[in-house]
Amino acid sequence: MRATPAWLERGEQVPPPMKAPKKVSPPYSPVQLGRLRGWAERLPCRYADCAPPGSSNC
């Protein structure tokens, strides 16, 4: 009902209905976090201050 006046007054598209799963997903496991951290540490550095001290990625 609220979207109709927005479309009529401003020509905006009706937004799609937003839905989220009711079940909360569990956090990453330590193994998954370790893999992600290893992958992130191998990424090339774009800025001099983005790498941790002692890193050779820059």
Side-chain angles (χ1 to χ4, degrees):
M1 199 69 166
R2 207 177 285 167
T4 302
W7 182 76
L8 290 174
E9 293 172 11
R10 299 184 297 262
E12 296 176 9
Q13 293 289 332
V14 177
M18 303 297 281
K19 294 183 180 179
K22 293 180 182 180
K23 180 182 167 189
V24 177
S25 60
Y28 290 107
S29 71
V31 172
Q32 290 172 317
L33 288 174
R35 289 178 184 157
L36 181 59
R37 185 180 308 274
W39 171 81
E41 288 173 351
R42 289 188 300 275
L43 289 173
C45 182
R46 294 180 65 184
Y47 305 101
D49 60 346
C50 70
S55 174
S56 62
N57 285 4
C58 291

